[in-house]
mmCIF file with all atom_site columns, all heavy atoms in Angstrom:
data_model
loop_
_atom_site.group_PDB
_atom_site.id
_atom_site.type_symbol
_atom_site.label_atom_id
_atom_site.label_alt_id
_atom_site.label_comp_id
_atom_site.label_asym_id
_atom_site.label_entity_id
_atom_site.label_seq_id
_atom_site.pdbx_PDB_ins_code
_atom_site.Cartn_x
_atom_site.Cartn_y
_atom_site.Cartn_z
_atom_site.occupancy
_atom_site.B_iso_or_equiv
_atom_site.pdbx_formal_charge
_atom_site.auth_seq_id
_atom_site.auth_comp_id
_atom_site.auth_asym_id
_atom_site.auth_atom_id
_atom_site.pdbx_PDB_model_num
ATOM 1   N N   . VAL Z 1 31 ? -147.903 297.057 43.918 1.00 91.00 ? 58 VAL Z N   1
ATOM 2   C CA  . VAL Z 1 31 ? -147.133 296.010 44.601 1.00 91.00 ? 58 VAL Z CA  1
ATOM 3   C C   . VAL Z 1 31 ? -147.706 294.636 44.250 1.00 91.00 ? 58 VAL Z C   1
ATOM 4   O O   . VAL Z 1 31 ? -146.962 293.687 43.978 1.00 91.00 ? 58 VAL Z O   1
ATOM 5   C CB  . VAL Z 1 31 ? -147.115 296.236 46.127 1.00 91.00 ? 58 VAL Z CB  1
ATOM 6   C CG1 . VAL Z 1 31 ? -146.522 295.042 46.853 1.00 91.00 ? 58 VAL Z CG1 1
ATOM 7   C CG2 . VAL Z 1 31 ? -146.330 297.511 46.460 1.00 91.00 ? 58 VAL Z CG2 1
ATOM 8   N N   . ALA Z 1 32 ? -149.025 294.517 44.222 1.00 91.00 ? 59 ALA Z N   1
ATOM 9   C CA  . ALA Z 1 32 ? -149.657 293.250 43.848 1.00 91.00 ? 59 ALA Z CA  1
ATOM 10  C C   . ALA Z 1 32 ? -149.312 292.877 42.405 1.00 91.00 ? 59 ALA Z C   1
ATOM 11  O O   . ALA Z 1 32 ? -148.983 291.722 42.112 1.00 91.00 ? 59 ALA Z O   1
ATOM 12  C CB  . ALA Z 1 32 ? -151.174 293.342 44.024 1.00 91.00 ? 59 ALA Z CB  1
ATOM 13  N N   . LEU Z 1 33 ? -149.384 293.855 41.508 1.00 94.00 ? 60 LEU Z N   1
ATOM 14  C CA  . LEU Z 1 33 ? -149.038 293.603 40.109 1.00 94.00 ? 60 LEU Z CA  1
ATOM 15  C C   . LEU Z 1 33 ? -147.575 293.189 39.988 1.00 94.00 ? 60 LEU Z C   1
ATOM 16  O O   . LEU Z 1 33 ? -147.243 292.257 39.242 1.00 94.00 ? 60 LEU Z O   1
ATOM 17  C CB  . LEU Z 1 33 ? -149.318 294.842 39.256 1.00 94.00 ? 60 LEU Z CB  1
ATOM 18  C CG  . LEU Z 1 33 ? -148.945 294.749 37.783 1.00 94.00 ? 60 LEU Z CG  1
ATOM 19  C CD1 . LEU Z 1 33 ? -149.661 293.582 37.094 1.00 94.00 ? 60 LEU Z CD1 1
ATOM 20  C CD2 . LEU Z 1 33 ? -149.267 296.063 37.070 1.00 94.00 ? 60 LEU Z CD2 1
ATOM 21  N N   . ALA Z 1 34 ? -146.706 293.849 40.718 1.00 93.00 ? 61 ALA Z N   1
ATOM 22  C CA  . ALA Z 1 34 ? -145.287 293.490 40.696 1.00 93.00 ? 61 ALA Z CA  1
ATOM 23  C C   . ALA Z 1 34 ? -145.096 292.038 41.137 1.00 93.00 ? 61 ALA Z C   1
ATOM 24  O O   . ALA Z 1 34 ? -144.300 291.301 40.549 1.00 93.00 ? 61 ALA Z O   1
ATOM 25  C CB  . ALA Z 1 34 ? -144.481 294.435 41.594 1.00 93.00 ? 61 ALA Z CB  1
ATOM 26  N N   . SER Z 1 35 ? -145.852 291.627 42.137 1.00 92.00 ? 62 SER Z N   1
ATOM 27  C CA  . SER Z 1 35 ? -145.763 290.248 42.621 1.00 92.00 ? 62 SER Z CA  1
ATOM 28  C C   . SER Z 1 35 ? -146.189 289.253 41.539 1.00 92.00 ? 62 SER Z C   1
ATOM 29  O O   . SER Z 1 35 ? -145.537 288.230 41.332 1.00 92.00 ? 62 SER Z O   1
ATOM 30  C CB  . SER Z 1 35 ? -146.635 290.090 43.866 1.00 92.00 ? 62 SER Z CB  1
ATOM 31  O OG  . SER Z 1 35 ? -146.638 288.762 44.304 1.00 92.00 ? 62 SER Z OG  1
ATOM 32  N N   . VAL Z 1 36 ? -147.280 289.567 40.854 1.00 94.00 ? 63 VAL Z N   1
ATOM 33  C CA  . VAL Z 1 36 ? -147.768 288.689 39.781 1.00 94.00 ? 63 VAL Z CA  1
ATOM 34  C C   . VAL Z 1 36 ? -146.741 288.628 38.653 1.00 94.00 ? 63 VAL Z C   1
ATOM 35  O O   . VAL Z 1 36 ? -146.412 287.548 38.149 1.00 94.00 ? 63 VAL Z O   1
ATOM 36  C CB  . VAL Z 1 36 ? -149.138 289.179 39.257 1.00 94.00 ? 63 VAL Z CB  1
ATOM 37  C CG1 . VAL Z 1 36 ? -149.535 288.441 37.985 1.00 94.00 ? 63 VAL Z CG1 1
ATOM 38  C CG2 . VAL Z 1 36 ? -150.206 289.016 40.327 1.00 94.00 ? 63 VAL Z CG2 1
ATOM 39  N N   . LEU Z 1 37 ? -146.237 289.782 38.245 1.00 95.00 ? 64 LEU Z N   1
ATOM 40  C CA  . LEU Z 1 37 ? -145.249 289.824 37.171 1.00 95.00 ? 64 LEU Z CA  1
ATOM 41  C C   . LEU Z 1 37 ? -143.989 289.053 37.545 1.00 95.00 ? 64 LEU Z C   1
ATOM 42  O O   . LEU Z 1 37 ? -143.415 288.333 36.725 1.00 95.00 ? 64 LEU Z O   1
ATOM 43  C CB  . LEU Z 1 37 ? -144.907 291.279 36.822 1.00 95.00 ? 64 LEU Z CB  1
ATOM 44  C CG  . LEU Z 1 37 ? -146.029 292.091 36.177 1.00 95.00 ? 64 LEU Z CG  1
ATOM 45  C CD1 . LEU Z 1 37 ? -145.654 293.568 36.129 1.00 95.00 ? 64 LEU Z CD1 1
ATOM 46  C CD2 . LEU Z 1 37 ? -146.365 291.565 34.793 1.00 95.00 ? 64 LEU Z CD2 1
ATOM 47  N N   . TRP Z 1 38 ? -143.557 289.185 38.791 1.00 94.00 ? 65 TRP Z N   1
ATOM 48  C CA  . TRP Z 1 38 ? -142.361 288.487 39.261 1.00 94.00 ? 65 TRP Z CA  1
ATOM 49  C C   . TRP Z 1 38 ? -142.569 286.974 39.184 1.00 94.00 ? 65 TRP Z C   1
ATOM 50  O O   . TRP Z 1 38 ? -141.691 286.242 38.743 1.00 94.00 ? 65 TRP Z O   1
ATOM 51  C CB  . TRP Z 1 38 ? -142.036 288.910 40.686 1.00 94.00 ? 65 TRP Z CB  1
ATOM 52  C CG  . TRP Z 1 38 ? -140.695 288.417 41.167 1.00 94.00 ? 65 TRP Z CG  1
ATOM 53  C CD1 . TRP Z 1 38 ? -140.437 287.237 41.797 1.00 94.00 ? 65 TRP Z CD1 1
ATOM 54  C CD2 . TRP Z 1 38 ? -139.450 289.090 41.040 1.00 94.00 ? 65 TRP Z CD2 1
ATOM 55  N NE1 . TRP Z 1 38 ? -139.101 287.138 42.079 1.00 94.00 ? 65 TRP Z NE1 1
ATOM 56  C CE2 . TRP Z 1 38 ? -138.464 288.265 41.624 1.00 94.00 ? 65 TRP Z CE2 1
ATOM 57  C CE3 . TRP Z 1 38 ? -139.067 290.305 40.502 1.00 94.00 ? 65 TRP Z CE3 1
ATOM 58  C CZ2 . TRP Z 1 38 ? -137.121 288.619 41.677 1.00 94.00 ? 65 TRP Z CZ2 1
ATOM 59  C CZ3 . TRP Z 1 38 ? -137.728 290.664 40.562 1.00 94.00 ? 65 TRP Z CZ3 1
ATOM 60  C CH2 . TRP Z 1 38 ? -136.775 289.822 41.136 1.00 94.00 ? 65 TRP Z CH2 1
ATOM 61  N N   . SER Z 1 39 ? -143.752 286.527 39.602 1.00 94.00 ? 66 SER Z N   1
ATOM 62  C CA  . SER Z 1 39 ? -144.036 285.081 39.573 1.00 94.00 ? 66 SER Z CA  1
ATOM 63  C C   . SER Z 1 39 ? -144.129 284.551 38.138 1.00 94.00 ? 66 SER Z C   1
ATOM 64  O O   . SER Z 1 39 ? -143.964 283.361 37.908 1.00 94.00 ? 66 SER Z O   1
ATOM 65  C CB  . SER Z 1 39 ? -145.319 284.764 40.338 1.00 94.00 ? 66 SER Z CB  1
ATOM 66  O OG  . SER Z 1 39 ? -146.440 285.247 39.636 1.00 94.00 ? 66 SER Z OG  1
ATOM 67  N N   . GLN Z 1 40 ? -144.380 285.435 37.172 1.00 96.00 ? 67 GLN Z N   1
ATOM 68  C CA  . GLN Z 1 40 ? -144.416 285.060 35.756 1.00 96.00 ? 67 GLN Z CA  1
ATOM 69  C C   . GLN Z 1 40 ? -143.046 285.233 35.097 1.00 96.00 ? 67 GLN Z C   1
ATOM 70  O O   . GLN Z 1 40 ? -142.928 285.167 33.879 1.00 96.00 ? 67 GLN Z O   1
ATOM 71  C CB  . GLN Z 1 40 ? -145.457 285.903 35.008 1.00 96.00 ? 67 GLN Z CB  1
ATOM 72  C CG  . GLN Z 1 40 ? -146.864 285.666 35.458 1.00 96.00 ? 67 GLN Z CG  1
ATOM 73  C CD  . GLN Z 1 40 ? -147.849 286.643 34.813 1.00 96.00 ? 67 GLN Z CD  1
ATOM 74  O OE1 . GLN Z 1 40 ? -147.471 287.659 34.225 1.00 96.00 ? 67 GLN Z OE1 1
ATOM 75  N NE2 . GLN Z 1 40 ? -149.124 286.321 34.943 1.00 96.00 ? 67 GLN Z NE2 1
ATOM 76  N N   . ASP Z 1 41 ? -142.039 285.468 35.910 1.00 96.00 ? 68 ASP Z N   1
ATOM 77  C CA  . ASP Z 1 41 ? -140.663 285.670 35.450 1.00 96.00 ? 68 ASP Z CA  1
ATOM 78  C C   . ASP Z 1 41 ? -140.529 286.879 34.522 1.00 96.00 ? 68 ASP Z C   1
ATOM 79  O O   . ASP Z 1 41 ? -139.703 286.894 33.633 1.00 96.00 ? 68 ASP Z O   1
ATOM 80  C CB  . ASP Z 1 41 ? -140.114 284.402 34.783 1.00 96.00 ? 68 ASP Z CB  1
ATOM 81  C CG  . ASP Z 1 41 ? -138.594 284.371 34.818 1.00 96.00 ? 68 ASP Z CG  1
ATOM 82  O OD1 . ASP Z 1 41 ? -138.008 284.902 35.777 1.00 96.00 ? 68 ASP Z OD1 1
ATOM 83  O OD2 . ASP Z 1 41 ? -137.989 283.831 33.868 1.00 96.00 ? 68 ASP Z OD2 1
ATOM 84  N N   . ARG Z 1 42 ? -141.354 287.898 34.772 1.00 96.00 ? 69 ARG Z N   1
ATOM 85  C CA  . ARG Z 1 42 ? -141.284 289.159 34.029 1.00 96.00 ? 69 ARG Z CA  1
ATOM 86  C C   . ARG Z 1 42 ? -140.668 290.197 34.960 1.00 96.00 ? 69 ARG Z C   1
ATOM 87  O O   . ARG Z 1 42 ? -141.280 291.191 35.317 1.00 96.00 ? 69 ARG Z O   1
ATOM 88  C CB  . ARG Z 1 42 ? -142.675 289.545 33.546 1.00 96.00 ? 69 ARG Z CB  1
ATOM 89  C CG  . ARG Z 1 42 ? -143.214 288.532 32.541 1.00 96.00 ? 69 ARG Z CG  1
ATOM 90  C CD  . ARG Z 1 42 ? -144.696 288.634 32.304 1.00 96.00 ? 69 ARG Z CD  1
ATOM 91  N NE  . ARG Z 1 42 ? -145.102 289.935 31.779 1.00 96.00 ? 69 ARG Z NE  1
ATOM 92  C CZ  . ARG Z 1 42 ? -146.374 290.269 31.596 1.00 96.00 ? 69 ARG Z CZ  1
ATOM 93  N NH1 . ARG Z 1 42 ? -147.352 289.418 31.877 1.00 96.00 ? 69 ARG Z NH1 1
ATOM 94  N NH2 . ARG Z 1 42 ? -146.678 291.456 31.127 1.00 96.00 ? 69 ARG Z NH2 1
ATOM 95  N N   . LYS Z 1 43 ? -139.444 289.899 35.354 1.00 94.00 ? 70 LYS Z N   1
ATOM 96  C CA  . LYS Z 1 43 ? -138.792 290.661 36.412 1.00 94.00 ? 70 LYS Z CA  1
ATOM 97  C C   . LYS Z 1 43 ? -138.550 292.135 36.091 1.00 94.00 ? 70 LYS Z C   1
ATOM 98  O O   . LYS Z 1 43 ? -138.764 292.979 36.957 1.00 94.00 ? 70 LYS Z O   1
ATOM 99  C CB  . LYS Z 1 43 ? -137.509 289.952 36.835 1.00 94.00 ? 70 LYS Z CB  1
ATOM 100 C CG  . LYS Z 1 43 ? -137.851 288.626 37.510 1.00 94.00 ? 70 LYS Z CG  1
ATOM 101 C CD  . LYS Z 1 43 ? -136.637 287.897 38.003 1.00 94.00 ? 70 LYS Z CD  1
ATOM 102 C CE  . LYS Z 1 43 ? -137.115 286.774 38.868 1.00 94.00 ? 70 LYS Z CE  1
ATOM 103 N NZ  . LYS Z 1 43 ? -136.939 285.483 38.532 1.00 94.00 ? 70 LYS Z NZ  1
ATOM 104 N N   . PRO Z 1 44 ? -138.134 292.510 34.888 1.00 95.00 ? 71 PRO Z N   1
ATOM 105 C CA  . PRO Z 1 44 ? -137.964 293.953 34.622 1.00 95.00 ? 71 PRO Z CA  1
ATOM 106 C C   . PRO Z 1 44 ? -139.266 294.740 34.796 1.00 95.00 ? 71 PRO Z C   1
ATOM 107 O O   . PRO Z 1 44 ? -139.262 295.833 35.368 1.00 95.00 ? 71 PRO Z O   1
ATOM 108 C CB  . PRO Z 1 44 ? -137.474 293.995 33.169 1.00 95.00 ? 71 PRO Z CB  1
ATOM 109 C CG  . PRO Z 1 44 ? -136.810 292.667 32.961 1.00 95.00 ? 71 PRO Z CG  1
ATOM 110 C CD  . PRO Z 1 44 ? -137.641 291.701 33.776 1.00 95.00 ? 71 PRO Z CD  1
ATOM 111 N N   . GLU Z 1 45 ? -140.381 294.172 34.319 1.00 95.00 ? 72 GLU Z N   1
ATOM 112 C CA  . GLU Z 1 45 ? -141.674 294.842 34.488 1.00 95.00 ? 72 GLU Z CA  1
ATOM 113 C C   . GLU Z 1 45 ? -142.049 294.910 35.968 1.00 95.00 ? 72 GLU Z C   1
ATOM 114 O O   . GLU Z 1 45 ? -142.572 295.919 36.442 1.00 95.00 ? 72 GLU Z O   1
ATOM 115 C CB  . GLU Z 1 45 ? -142.767 294.095 33.729 1.00 95.00 ? 72 GLU Z CB  1
ATOM 116 C CG  . GLU Z 1 45 ? -142.653 294.183 32.225 1.00 95.00 ? 72 GLU Z CG  1
ATOM 117 C CD  . GLU Z 1 45 ? -143.687 293.301 31.553 1.00 95.00 ? 72 GLU Z CD  1
ATOM 118 O OE1 . GLU Z 1 45 ? -144.835 293.761 31.409 1.00 95.00 ? 72 GLU Z OE1 1
ATOM 119 O OE2 . GLU Z 1 45 ? -143.331 292.160 31.199 1.00 95.00 ? 72 GLU Z OE2 1
ATOM 120 N N   . ALA Z 1 46 ? -141.797 293.824 36.690 1.00 94.00 ? 73 ALA Z N   1
ATOM 121 C CA  . ALA Z 1 46 ? -142.108 293.787 38.123 1.00 94.00 ? 73 ALA Z CA  1
ATOM 122 C C   . ALA Z 1 46 ? -141.313 294.845 38.873 1.00 94.00 ? 73 ALA Z C   1
ATOM 123 O O   . ALA Z 1 46 ? -141.857 295.550 39.733 1.00 94.00 ? 73 ALA Z O   1
ATOM 124 C CB  . ALA Z 1 46 ? -141.810 292.395 38.689 1.00 94.00 ? 73 ALA Z CB  1
ATOM 125 N N   . GLU Z 1 47 ? -140.050 294.950 38.548 1.00 94.00 ? 74 GLU Z N   1
ATOM 126 C CA  . GLU Z 1 47 ? -139.208 295.938 39.222 1.00 94.00 ? 74 GLU Z CA  1
ATOM 127 C C   . GLU Z 1 47 ? -139.653 297.360 38.902 1.00 94.00 ? 74 GLU Z C   1
ATOM 128 O O   . GLU Z 1 47 ? -139.605 298.235 39.759 1.00 94.00 ? 74 GLU Z O   1
ATOM 129 C CB  . GLU Z 1 47 ? -137.746 295.715 38.846 1.00 94.00 ? 74 GLU Z CB  1
ATOM 130 C CG  . GLU Z 1 47 ? -137.184 294.459 39.491 1.00 94.00 ? 74 GLU Z CG  1
ATOM 131 C CD  . GLU Z 1 47 ? -135.769 294.134 39.066 1.00 94.00 ? 74 GLU Z CD  1
ATOM 132 O OE1 . GLU Z 1 47 ? -135.248 294.786 38.135 1.00 94.00 ? 74 GLU Z OE1 1
ATOM 133 O OE2 . GLU Z 1 47 ? -135.181 293.221 39.667 1.00 94.00 ? 74 GLU Z OE2 1
#
Side-chain angles (χ1 to χ4, degrees):
V58 171
L60 177 58
S62 176
V63 170
L64 292 169
W65 190 271
S66 70
Q67 295 173 346
D68 203 32
R69 295 164 60 185
K70 293 182 169 114
E72 291 174 83
E74 288 176 351

